[in-house]
Amino acid sequence: MSKEHVRISRRGLLGSAIAVAAVAVTGGPATAAAPLRTGAARPDGGGQVPAVWREFTRAPFTHPQIPYVGRAGHRGGAARFPRRPVVADVRAYGAVADDGTTDCAPAINRAIAAAGRAGGGTVLIPPGTFRIDGLIRIGHSNVVLRGAGSDCTKLYATKNLTELIGVYGSRYGGDKSSWSWAGGLIWLAPTARWDSLVAAVKAKAWPFEGWTGNKRDEWETLTTVAPATRGSWSVTVADPRPLKPGRLVLLRLADDAGHTLLEHMSGGGPGPESYYWDDKTKLTSYVPYEWPVRIARVRGRKVTLERPLPLDLRPEWDPRLTTHVEPLTGSGVEGLTLEAIETPQSPHLLDKGYNGVVLQCAYDCWVDDVTVRHVDNGFGLVAASACTLRRTRVAGRGSHHPYFCREGSHDNLVEDFTIEQRTVPAPPNTQLHGINVEGLSSYNVWSRGDLRMGTFDSHRGLPFANVRTDITVNNDGRHGGDASAGPLFGARFTHWNIRVTNGRAGLMKIDGLAPYSATVGLNEVTEFDQIDVPDFTGDLHSRLELYGTTDVVRPRNLHEAQRDL
């Protein structure tokens, strides 16, 4: 078969896939002979298709305002999680339900460790309430901790992370507690990485929390990479010998003295070019940008990735593939409630660490059907990528960060999630965020959510190319982030089919705040409470379509439509 035939065939296949997806999400075909007008209602009552969606289907990997997130989450957004064979029951290791006095954390951890030594498997926790006076750790790949359902199995946590590990100060100084944004009472992280983090905390040598070690320079180059453009699925490398299909690597991009990488993350142009980056020391501490990805195929020096490139690769950014810490992969937590002893919420940034479930240095891991209650911080993604949180819920007395996504977390999927209304009034000097993203985190998705309190907290640190879609929100939270952390938004933030019940615009209607962004299918809102000004001057090149509507945009869910594409 000729190369030209292959190109034509692939183009035809992509066109066919787009046509099938258009039928699936709009209720009928979109043909060249009869294109849909912007905001035009379909005769079958199937909603309104914005022009930006039609544009996206023609260039899904390189659209200027909407990121490609069709492969976000565990195993590219797989509908089912693996069902690993049962290898342990926590009762066999000494866990006792419903007696209220037995500390079951050691027994649960022994069962998890046994599963790790066996090479993986499922650890069962039966129905009942199990007291835990310590934290639960999953440190080996392919280990699943499974309860009988979030309404049947409860872990009752009596202590916080300050008591269990120690005071955790901030590497940025001040009297802040890093338990305000790190660590969980159920903590998924590779054993060696967790050990090094805890040792650093106990030594008061506040660590870097990411993929390359406490000092961030514990990596080696595998190969340098030739220039390439955002959206490409393949790259050309100098030395393919260290690479093989299935290997997880870290794509590393450094910035230059002119901060052109940060400008590129912001969409480029006069606004980002005129922004003053040099005093944004917290933001620049997040660079280099590090993106974990699996190798799909190696053919000579051409390497195909499992996801398209998130950014351009330019020589001035020294693109290379590097090593990283040994990751946690294929592990999960399912079917349980973690309830902390009820204490008042701490003052802002002084959390003691009654935290829920955290995935750290984890890839292709998941949480399913899990509720956390009375926690300082709910579900965390810290240097975590390609993970899925599904059917999760934050309940109880109110949380600082119900969901947090930080320290270079990418390609994650949070779907079917709920933040319940707090059960007690907020104490003075506390803060409520909501679904947080920060620290150069990119290509993450929050889908099918119900925020009965909170907000879309872009916490500075230049997160970019993130999607919130098909979410109802009572927008009563506030964003955070130090001024030294730089802009609230980078390029390609998308809010799609958002229903704001209290009519507040802040962090919902982002066409006046986020560069190269899209706000599509948002009901009418007004500015009040926390009001922000754009970080970048001039034309933001943002899109606003179907504003003033409720739940009429088609496709209804941007992530699901992209996945179908």
Side-chain angles (χ1 to χ4, degrees):
M1 183 181 293
S2 71
K3 291 183 178 179
E4 184 61 26
H5 188 125
V6 171
R7 282 196 294 270
I8 293 171
S9 297
R10 287 175 178 167
R11 188 181 305 119
L13 286 172
L14 179 59
S16 297
I18 291 172
V20 170
V23 172
V25 300
T26 66
T31 66
L36 291 167
R37 300 187 307 276
T38 301
R42 296 197 56 85
D44 58 8
Q48 300 181 41
V49 180
V52 71
W53 170 251
R54 299 199 307 278
E55 295 170 10
F56 177 84
T57 60
R58 292 193 289 268
F61 309 129
T62 57
H63 194 274
Q65 283 92 10
I66 296 179
Y68 175 73
V69 293
R71 291 188 57 79
H74 169 266
R75 293 296 180 187
R80 293 183 176 86
F81 301 120
R83 301 293 288 182
R84 309 207 184 283
V86 175
V87 297
D89 186 312
V90 298
R91 291 172 296 187
Y93 291 81
V96 179
D98 301 322
D99 73 349
T101 58
T102 301
D103 175 14
C104 297
I108 295 171
N109 284 324
R110 285 194 295 269
I112 292 171
R117 289 192 298 271
T122 297
V123 175
L124 290 181
I125 309 180
T129 297
F130 295 82
R131 173 175 171 154
I132 56 171
D133 298 337
L135 61 90
I136 304 302
R137 291 200 299 117
I138 298 178
H140 293 89
S141 294
N142 301 316
V143 173
V144 179
L145 183 64
R146 181 186 300 154
S150 59
D151 57 347
C152 297
T153 297
K154 179 192 295 185
L155 303 182
Y156 181 67
T158 64
K159 295 184 179 180
N160 57 57
L161 293 168
T162 301
E163 296 173 282
L164 296 171
I165 295 176
V167 172
Y168 187 2
S170 170
R171 70 178 187 258
Y172 300 106
D175 60 353
K176 301 172 183 176
S177 167
S178 285
W179 299 129
S180 300
W181 56 76
L185 292 171
I186 300 178
W187 199 333
L188 289 80
T191 295
R193 187 73 185 100
W194 190 87
D195 288 345
S196 70
L197 285 165
V198 169
V201 171
K202 290 183 175 180
K204 300 189 184 305
W206 315 130
F208 170 69
E209 300 159 274
W211 277 97
T212 54
N214 289 349
K215 296 180 180 179
R216 189 153 197 184
D217 56 2
E218 301 168 20
W219 53 271
E220 296 178 2
T221 296
L222 297 171
T223 181
T224 56
V225 184
T229 56
R230 175 174 67 88
S232 300
W233 290 74
S234 297
V235 296
T236 300
V237 301
D239 181 6
R241 290 174 297 175
L243 309 177
K244 62 180 181 180
R247 179 167 187 176
L248 186 68
V249 297
L250 207 63
L251 173 66
R252 186 179 188 273
L253 297 177
D255 204 1
D256 59 9
H259 299 298
T260 60
L261 177 60
L262 296 177
E263 292 171 4
H264 177 55
M265 292 174 177
S266 305
E273 289 172 5
S274 64
Y275 185 81
Y276 190 72
W277 300 96
D278 285 336
D279 63 348
K280 308 303 186 295
T281 53
K282 189 171 183 179
L283 171 61
T284 54
S285 76
Y286 297 143
V287 181
Y289 176 78
E290 295 166 336
W291 183 62
V293 65
R294 286 196 193 279
I295 303 296
R297 186 174 63 198
V298 181
R299 294 288 186 271
R301 293 172 55 217
K302 183 178 180 180
V303 176
T304 302
L305 309 174
E306 68 172 340
R307 290 178 173 83
L309 287 177
L311 293 165
D312 290 350
L313 307 186
R314 299 180 187 172
E316 56 266 36
W317 303 332
D318 190 23
R320 58 186 60 225
L321 302 179
T322 75
T323 61
H324 46 78
V325 299
E326 184 69 24
L328 186 75
T329 63
S331 294
V333 180
E334 303 174 348
L336 58 83
T337 288
L338 173 67
E339 181 175 316
I341 185 172
E342 187 171 359
T343 59
Q345 185 178 346
S346 296
H348 190 218
L349 299 177
L350 298 179
D351 297 347
K352 293 181 171 62
Y354 289 107
N355 294 349
V357 183
V358 166
L359 290 75
Q360 186 162 6
C361 296
Y363 196 93
D364 275 334
C365 294
W366 70 91
V367 178
D368 184 30
D369 182 27
V370 172
T371 294
V372 296
R373 183 174 289 116
H374 303 321
V375 293
D376 292 336
N377 301 280
F379 294 89
L381 297 159
V382 181
S385 293
C387 295
T388 295
L389 276 60
R390 182 176 295 157
R391 298 190 298 163
T392 55
R393 179 178 295 262
V394 180
R397 49 85 156 157
S399 301
H400 177 198
H401 293 100
Y403 291 82
F404 56 98
C405 178
R406 51 179 298 273
E407 208 74 24
S409 291
H410 314 290
D411 303 301
N412 298 293
L413 171 61
V414 183
E415 62 181 358
D416 298 310
F417 65 97
T418 301
I419 302 174
E420 292 188 359
Q421 184 59 253
R422 64 191 312 137
T423 54
V424 296
N429 302 316
T430 58
Q431 186 65 273
L432 165 66
H433 297 308
I435 52 175
N436 153 274
V437 61
E438 58 181 290
L440 301 184
S441 296
S442 63
Y443 293 86
N444 301 288
V445 178
W446 292 263
S447 169
R448 297 197 304 266
D450 183 7
L451 276 70
R452 300 169 194 172
M453 64 176 190
T455 194
F456 292 176
D457 172 33
S458 295
H459 211 85
R460 300 199 179 274
L462 197 65
F464 67 94
N466 296 286
V467 168
R468 289 109 168 207
T469 182
D470 195 7
I471 298 172
T472 300
V473 53
N474 180 44
N475 186 23
D476 63 354
R478 299 172 67 85
H479 80 73
D482 294 337
S484 64
L488 280 169
F489 301 96
R492 295 184 303 286
F493 255 83
T494 302
H495 290 176
W496 188 285
N497 193 16
I498 306 301
R499 303 168 292 274
V500 183
T501 60
N502 64 342
R504 178 182 164 217
L507 301 174
M508 305 289 127
K509 185 177 182 290
I510 58 174
D511 58 298
L513 288 175
Y516 289 91
S517 66
T519 304
V520 182
L522 173 73
N523 57 287
E524 189 170 345
V525 291
T526 57
E527 292 281 0
F528 60 89
D529 193 22
Q530 189 178 42
I531 299 174
D532 291 293
V533 297
D535 292 292
F536 303 111
T537 58
D539 186 355
L540 295 180
H541 302 280
S542 296
R543 300 287 290 272
L544 178 66
E545 291 195 57
L546 295 178
Y547 175 60
T549 66
T550 301
D551 217 19
V552 303
V553 60
R554 296 295 181 269
R556 188 177 195 272
N557 185 294
L558 182 62
H559 167 254
E560 292 175 1
Q562 289 196 22
R563 185 179 57 196
D564 292 341
L565 263 176

